[in-house]
Amino acid sequence: MSTTRVKAAGATRREQILKEAARLFAERGFHGVGVDEIGAAVGISGPGLYRHFAGKDAMLAELLVGISGRLLTGGKRRVSEVEGEPRDVLDSLIEGHIDFALDDRPLITLHDRELDRLRDSDRKLVRQLQRQYVELWVEVVRKVYPTLVEADARASVHAVFGLLNSTPHLSRPGALPGRAAMAGLLHRLALGAFAAAAAAA
């Protein structure tokens, strides 16, 4: 087997571990889940996890720092790649965040409950990445709604994130509209919130 294939297989297993760890941490809390349970969820022994991670704390840090980094990187890519009016860029940013909100619900729950468990350095990094992500949105929102002063635009972005990130609390997954319908609803709600803020400015 080539080195490239070995690395790809290792990355896949690492991603599987993180996905199952996020799900279990969200369902039962960080301290309610043991290494053996995470290992069982991906078909390896608990001690076998230590070939991939130093421990649960390392998994939590990678999950929370990782998603903040991916949101920022994805947002920057959308801003740079979307051609057209600022409204098109905002639509793309909203679509990207909706994908996260619908597909990574355990990470939203994990962030709300467990962020304070990170080491100070990791928690500061998460906050730094989040601030950069917010400012990326603020710049675009103010181009679409120039009547919004910076402080109001920033508050509106935070409020829209709260709306979009409410997906873990809406209902059981089977009771929600289909994914496409839910994505469309969230998109309309987000745009409505920004428009309402601009109208009141």
PDB file of all heavy atoms in Angstrom, residues 18 21 25 30 53 55-66 110-111 114-118:
ATOM      1  N   LEU A  18     -13.662  11.745  15.455  1.00  0.00           N
ATOM      2  CA  LEU A  18     -14.155  13.076  15.823  1.00  0.00           C
ATOM      3  C   LEU A  18     -15.667  13.175  15.665  1.00  0.00           C
ATOM      4  O   LEU A  18     -16.352  13.759  16.510  1.00  0.00           O
ATOM      5  CB  LEU A  18     -13.459  14.145  14.986  1.00  0.00           C
ATOM      6  CG  LEU A  18     -12.000  14.434  15.338  1.00  0.00           C
ATOM      7  CD1 LEU A  18     -11.379  15.373  14.307  1.00  0.00           C
ATOM      8  CD2 LEU A  18     -11.883  15.024  16.737  1.00  0.00           C
ATOM      9  N   ALA A  21     -17.242  11.196  18.485  1.00  0.00           N
ATOM     10  CA  ALA A  21     -17.005  11.897  19.754  1.00  0.00           C
ATOM     11  C   ALA A  21     -17.942  13.092  19.886  1.00  0.00           C
ATOM     12  O   ALA A  21     -18.532  13.319  20.954  1.00  0.00           O
ATOM     13  CB  ALA A  21     -15.552  12.349  19.842  1.00  0.00           C
ATOM     14  N   PHE A  25     -20.554  13.300  22.894  1.00  0.00           N
ATOM     15  CA  PHE A  25     -20.415  14.429  23.831  1.00  0.00           C
ATOM     16  C   PHE A  25     -21.687  15.271  23.857  1.00  0.00           C
ATOM     17  O   PHE A  25     -22.120  15.737  24.917  1.00  0.00           O
ATOM     18  CB  PHE A  25     -19.241  15.325  23.427  1.00  0.00           C
ATOM     19  CG  PHE A  25     -17.871  14.712  23.588  1.00  0.00           C
ATOM     20  CD1 PHE A  25     -16.785  15.216  22.880  1.00  0.00           C
ATOM     21  CD2 PHE A  25     -17.654  13.647  24.456  1.00  0.00           C
ATOM     22  CE1 PHE A  25     -15.517  14.677  23.026  1.00  0.00           C
ATOM     23  CE2 PHE A  25     -16.393  13.085  24.602  1.00  0.00           C
ATOM     24  CZ  PHE A  25     -15.323  13.604  23.886  1.00  0.00           C
ATOM     25  N   PHE A  30     -19.586  15.900  28.052  1.00  0.00           N
ATOM     26  CA  PHE A  30     -18.177  15.511  27.937  1.00  0.00           C
ATOM     27  C   PHE A  30     -17.799  14.473  28.982  1.00  0.00           C
ATOM     28  O   PHE A  30     -17.152  13.467  28.677  1.00  0.00           O
ATOM     29  CB  PHE A  30     -17.306  16.765  28.080  1.00  0.00           C
ATOM     30  CG  PHE A  30     -15.829  16.510  27.948  1.00  0.00           C
ATOM     31  CD1 PHE A  30     -15.269  16.253  26.720  1.00  0.00           C
ATOM     32  CD2 PHE A  30     -15.008  16.536  29.067  1.00  0.00           C
ATOM     33  CE1 PHE A  30     -13.905  16.022  26.593  1.00  0.00           C
ATOM     34  CE2 PHE A  30     -13.648  16.313  28.953  1.00  0.00           C
ATOM     35  CZ  PHE A  30     -13.088  16.049  27.706  1.00  0.00           C
ATOM     36  N   PHE A  53      -5.300  10.445  19.168  1.00  0.00           N
ATOM     37  CA  PHE A  53      -5.495  11.608  20.031  1.00  0.00           C
ATOM     38  C   PHE A  53      -4.892  11.332  21.404  1.00  0.00           C
ATOM     39  O   PHE A  53      -4.913  10.196  21.878  1.00  0.00           O
ATOM     40  CB  PHE A  53      -6.990  11.923  20.198  1.00  0.00           C
ATOM     41  CG  PHE A  53      -7.682  12.303  18.929  1.00  0.00           C
ATOM     42  CD1 PHE A  53      -8.371  11.354  18.190  1.00  0.00           C
ATOM     43  CD2 PHE A  53      -7.636  13.611  18.463  1.00  0.00           C
ATOM     44  CE1 PHE A  53      -9.007  11.691  17.012  1.00  0.00           C
ATOM     45  CE2 PHE A  53      -8.276  13.958  17.287  1.00  0.00           C
ATOM     46  CZ  PHE A  53      -8.964  13.001  16.552  1.00  0.00           C
ATOM     47  N   GLY A  55      -6.153  12.241  24.121  1.00  0.00           N
ATOM     48  CA  GLY A  55      -7.233  11.979  25.063  1.00  0.00           C
ATOM     49  C   GLY A  55      -8.476  12.745  24.674  1.00  0.00           C
ATOM     50  O   GLY A  55      -8.539  13.376  23.613  1.00  0.00           O
ATOM     51  N   LYS A  56      -9.497  12.689  25.540  1.00  0.00           N
ATOM     52  CA  LYS A  56     -10.760  13.366  25.233  1.00  0.00           C
ATOM     53  C   LYS A  56     -10.583  14.875  25.115  1.00  0.00           C
ATOM     54  O   LYS A  56     -11.225  15.514  24.286  1.00  0.00           O
ATOM     55  CB  LYS A  56     -11.801  13.052  26.304  1.00  0.00           C
ATOM     56  CG  LYS A  56     -12.325  11.637  26.307  1.00  0.00           C
ATOM     57  CD  LYS A  56     -13.633  11.521  27.094  1.00  0.00           C
ATOM     58  CE  LYS A  56     -13.541  12.095  28.486  1.00  0.00           C
ATOM     59  NZ  LYS A  56     -14.818  12.064  29.212  1.00  0.00           N
ATOM     60  N   ASP A  57      -9.732  15.450  25.953  1.00  0.00           N
ATOM     61  CA  ASP A  57      -9.510  16.890  25.885  1.00  0.00           C
ATOM     62  C   ASP A  57      -8.990  17.311  24.512  1.00  0.00           C
ATOM     63  O   ASP A  57      -9.395  18.352  23.974  1.00  0.00           O
ATOM     64  CB  ASP A  57      -8.521  17.334  26.962  1.00  0.00           C
ATOM     65  CG  ASP A  57      -9.106  17.263  28.362  1.00  0.00           C
ATOM     66  OD1 ASP A  57     -10.345  17.302  28.477  1.00  0.00           O
ATOM     67  OD2 ASP A  57      -8.336  17.184  29.324  1.00  0.00           O
ATOM     68  N   ALA A  58      -8.114  16.494  23.945  1.00  0.00           N
ATOM     69  CA  ALA A  58      -7.569  16.800  22.622  1.00  0.00           C
ATOM     70  C   ALA A  58      -8.647  16.698  21.554  1.00  0.00           C
ATOM     71  O   ALA A  58      -8.674  17.494  20.603  1.00  0.00           O
ATOM     72  CB  ALA A  58      -6.416  15.860  22.302  1.00  0.00           C
ATOM     73  N   MET A  59      -9.540  15.725  21.704  1.00  0.00           N
ATOM     74  CA  MET A  59     -10.653  15.597  20.745  1.00  0.00           C
ATOM     75  C   MET A  59     -11.543  16.821  20.806  1.00  0.00           C
ATOM     76  O   MET A  59     -11.938  17.386  19.776  1.00  0.00           O
ATOM     77  CB  MET A  59     -11.486  14.345  21.051  1.00  0.00           C
ATOM     78  CG  MET A  59     -10.787  13.045  20.829  1.00  0.00           C
ATOM     79  SD  MET A  59     -11.904  11.664  21.224  1.00  0.00           S
ATOM     80  CE  MET A  59     -10.711  10.439  21.761  1.00  0.00           C
ATOM     81  N   LEU A  60     -11.892  17.242  22.021  1.00  0.00           N
ATOM     82  CA  LEU A  60     -12.766  18.403  22.189  1.00  0.00           C
ATOM     83  C   LEU A  60     -12.133  19.648  21.582  1.00  0.00           C
ATOM     84  O   LEU A  60     -12.797  20.416  20.879  1.00  0.00           O
ATOM     85  CB  LEU A  60     -13.057  18.619  23.672  1.00  0.00           C
ATOM     86  CG  LEU A  60     -14.002  19.777  24.011  1.00  0.00           C
ATOM     87  CD1 LEU A  60     -15.394  19.522  23.454  1.00  0.00           C
ATOM     88  CD2 LEU A  60     -14.061  19.983  25.529  1.00  0.00           C
ATOM     89  N   ALA A  61     -10.851  19.838  21.832  1.00  0.00           N
ATOM     90  CA  ALA A  61     -10.163  21.012  21.296  1.00  0.00           C
ATOM     91  C   ALA A  61     -10.156  20.985  19.779  1.00  0.00           C
ATOM     92  O   ALA A  61     -10.427  22.007  19.127  1.00  0.00           O
ATOM     93  CB  ALA A  61      -8.731  21.072  21.838  1.00  0.00           C
ATOM     94  N   GLU A  62      -9.871  19.831  19.202  1.00  0.00           N
ATOM     95  CA  GLU A  62      -9.831  19.755  17.745  1.00  0.00           C
ATOM     96  C   GLU A  62     -11.210  19.989  17.148  1.00  0.00           C
ATOM     97  O   GLU A  62     -11.353  20.620  16.101  1.00  0.00           O
ATOM     98  CB  GLU A  62      -9.273  18.410  17.287  1.00  0.00           C
ATOM     99  CG  GLU A  62      -9.098  18.340  15.779  1.00  0.00           C
ATOM    100  CD  GLU A  62      -8.045  17.340  15.339  1.00  0.00           C
ATOM    101  OE1 GLU A  62      -7.141  17.021  16.140  1.00  0.00           O
ATOM    102  OE2 GLU A  62      -8.130  16.890  14.193  1.00  0.00           O
ATOM    103  N   LEU A  63     -12.246  19.499  17.798  1.00  0.00           N
ATOM    104  CA  LEU A  63     -13.608  19.703  17.306  1.00  0.00           C
ATOM    105  C   LEU A  63     -13.981  21.187  17.305  1.00  0.00           C
ATOM    106  O   LEU A  63     -14.469  21.719  16.308  1.00  0.00           O
ATOM    107  CB  LEU A  63     -14.599  18.915  18.158  1.00  0.00           C
ATOM    108  CG  LEU A  63     -14.660  17.412  17.916  1.00  0.00           C
ATOM    109  CD1 LEU A  63     -15.403  16.714  19.049  1.00  0.00           C
ATOM    110  CD2 LEU A  63     -15.338  17.113  16.577  1.00  0.00           C
ATOM    111  N   LEU A  64     -13.758  21.867  18.418  1.00  0.00           N
ATOM    112  CA  LEU A  64     -14.219  23.251  18.550  1.00  0.00           C
ATOM    113  C   LEU A  64     -13.317  24.240  17.819  1.00  0.00           C
ATOM    114  O   LEU A  64     -13.807  25.175  17.178  1.00  0.00           O
ATOM    115  CB  LEU A  64     -14.351  23.618  20.028  1.00  0.00           C
ATOM    116  CG  LEU A  64     -15.428  22.832  20.782  1.00  0.00           C
ATOM    117  CD1 LEU A  64     -15.546  23.308  22.229  1.00  0.00           C
ATOM    118  CD2 LEU A  64     -16.785  22.949  20.094  1.00  0.00           C
ATOM    119  N   VAL A  65     -12.012  24.045  17.900  1.00  0.00           N
ATOM    120  CA  VAL A  65     -11.115  24.909  17.125  1.00  0.00           C
ATOM    121  C   VAL A  65     -11.308  24.631  15.640  1.00  0.00           C
ATOM    122  O   VAL A  65     -11.347  25.538  14.812  1.00  0.00           O
ATOM    123  CB  VAL A  65      -9.645  24.690  17.533  1.00  0.00           C
ATOM    124  CG1 VAL A  65      -8.711  25.475  16.604  1.00  0.00           C
ATOM    125  CG2 VAL A  65      -9.416  25.112  18.981  1.00  0.00           C
ATOM    126  N   GLY A  66     -11.471  23.351  15.313  1.00  0.00           N
ATOM    127  CA  GLY A  66     -11.599  22.952  13.911  1.00  0.00           C
ATOM    128  C   GLY A  66     -12.808  23.546  13.229  1.00  0.00           C
ATOM    129  O   GLY A  66     -12.707  24.069  12.113  1.00  0.00           O
ATOM    130  N   LEU A 110     -22.176  21.125  21.403  1.00  0.00           N
ATOM    131  CA  LEU A 110     -20.887  20.986  22.071  1.00  0.00           C
ATOM    132  C   LEU A 110     -20.287  22.346  22.399  1.00  0.00           C
ATOM    133  O   LEU A 110     -19.774  22.569  23.500  1.00  0.00           O
ATOM    134  CB  LEU A 110     -19.954  20.197  21.154  1.00  0.00           C
ATOM    135  CG  LEU A 110     -18.775  19.466  21.784  1.00  0.00           C
ATOM    136  CD1 LEU A 110     -19.256  18.481  22.830  1.00  0.00           C
ATOM    137  CD2 LEU A 110     -17.974  18.743  20.703  1.00  0.00           C
ATOM    138  N   HIS A 111     -20.362  23.259  21.458  1.00  0.00           N
ATOM    139  CA  HIS A 111     -19.833  24.605  21.692  1.00  0.00           C
ATOM    140  C   HIS A 111     -20.566  25.279  22.844  1.00  0.00           C
ATOM    141  O   HIS A 111     -19.949  25.885  23.723  1.00  0.00           O
ATOM    142  CB  HIS A 111     -19.956  25.435  20.424  1.00  0.00           C
ATOM    143  CG  HIS A 111     -19.477  26.840  20.567  1.00  0.00           C
ATOM    144  ND1 HIS A 111     -20.254  27.853  21.106  1.00  0.00           N
ATOM    145  CD2 HIS A 111     -18.283  27.413  20.275  1.00  0.00           C
ATOM    146  CE1 HIS A 111     -19.575  28.961  21.121  1.00  0.00           C
ATOM    147  NE2 HIS A 111     -18.379  28.737  20.621  1.00  0.00           N
ATOM    148  N   GLU A 114     -19.627  23.028  26.234  1.00  0.00           N
ATOM    149  CA  GLU A 114     -18.295  22.574  26.643  1.00  0.00           C
ATOM    150  C   GLU A 114     -17.156  23.531  26.324  1.00  0.00           C
ATOM    151  O   GLU A 114     -16.003  23.217  26.610  1.00  0.00           O
ATOM    152  CB  GLU A 114     -17.986  21.213  25.977  1.00  0.00           C
ATOM    153  CG  GLU A 114     -19.081  20.170  26.087  1.00  0.00           C
ATOM    154  CD  GLU A 114     -19.272  19.638  27.511  1.00  0.00           C
ATOM    155  OE1 GLU A 114     -18.516  20.042  28.416  1.00  0.00           O
ATOM    156  OE2 GLU A 114     -20.174  18.803  27.722  1.00  0.00           O
ATOM    157  N   LEU A 115     -17.426  24.702  25.754  1.00  0.00           N
ATOM    158  CA  LEU A 115     -16.331  25.597  25.372  1.00  0.00           C
ATOM    159  C   LEU A 115     -15.443  25.933  26.562  1.00  0.00           C
ATOM    160  O   LEU A 115     -14.219  26.018  26.437  1.00  0.00           O
ATOM    161  CB  LEU A 115     -16.898  26.886  24.754  1.00  0.00           C
ATOM    162  CG  LEU A 115     -15.866  27.908  24.300  1.00  0.00           C
ATOM    163  CD1 LEU A 115     -14.986  27.344  23.183  1.00  0.00           C
ATOM    164  CD2 LEU A 115     -16.546  29.202  23.833  1.00  0.00           C
ATOM    165  N   ASP A 116     -16.039  26.122  27.732  1.00  0.00           N
ATOM    166  CA  ASP A 116     -15.261  26.506  28.909  1.00  0.00           C
ATOM    167  C   ASP A 116     -14.320  25.408  29.386  1.00  0.00           C
ATOM    168  O   ASP A 116     -13.462  25.655  30.237  1.00  0.00           O
ATOM    169  CB  ASP A 116     -16.188  26.909  30.051  1.00  0.00           C
ATOM    170  CG  ASP A 116     -16.858  28.254  29.811  1.00  0.00           C
ATOM    171  OD1 ASP A 116     -16.370  28.997  28.930  1.00  0.00           O
ATOM    172  OD2 ASP A 116     -17.860  28.558  30.469  1.00  0.00           O
ATOM    173  N   ARG A 117     -14.469  24.207  28.864  1.00  0.00           N
ATOM    174  CA  ARG A 117     -13.571  23.112  29.262  1.00  0.00           C
ATOM    175  C   ARG A 117     -12.243  23.151  28.517  1.00  0.00           C
ATOM    176  O   ARG A 117     -11.301  22.447  28.897  1.00  0.00           O
ATOM    177  CB  ARG A 117     -14.241  21.750  29.017  1.00  0.00           C
ATOM    178  CG  ARG A 117     -15.496  21.531  29.834  1.00  0.00           C
ATOM    179  CD  ARG A 117     -15.950  20.078  29.769  1.00  0.00           C
ATOM    180  NE  ARG A 117     -17.251  19.933  30.397  1.00  0.00           N
ATOM    181  CZ  ARG A 117     -17.455  19.854  31.703  1.00  0.00           C
ATOM    182  NH1 ARG A 117     -16.404  19.927  32.523  1.00  0.00           N
ATOM    183  NH2 ARG A 117     -18.664  19.712  32.191  1.00  0.00           N
ATOM    184  N   LEU A 118     -12.165  23.941  27.457  1.00  0.00           N
ATOM    185  CA  LEU A 118     -10.918  24.012  26.707  1.00  0.00           C
ATOM    186  C   LEU A 118      -9.842  24.716  27.520  1.00  0.00           C
ATOM    187  O   LEU A 118     -10.127  25.538  28.395  1.00  0.00           O
ATOM    188  CB  LEU A 118     -11.124  24.784  25.401  1.00  0.00           C
ATOM    189  CG  LEU A 118     -12.037  24.176  24.349  1.00  0.00           C
ATOM    190  CD1 LEU A 118     -12.041  25.066  23.110  1.00  0.00           C
ATOM    191  CD2 LEU A 118     -11.608  22.765  23.982  1.00  0.00           C
TER     192      LEU A 118
END
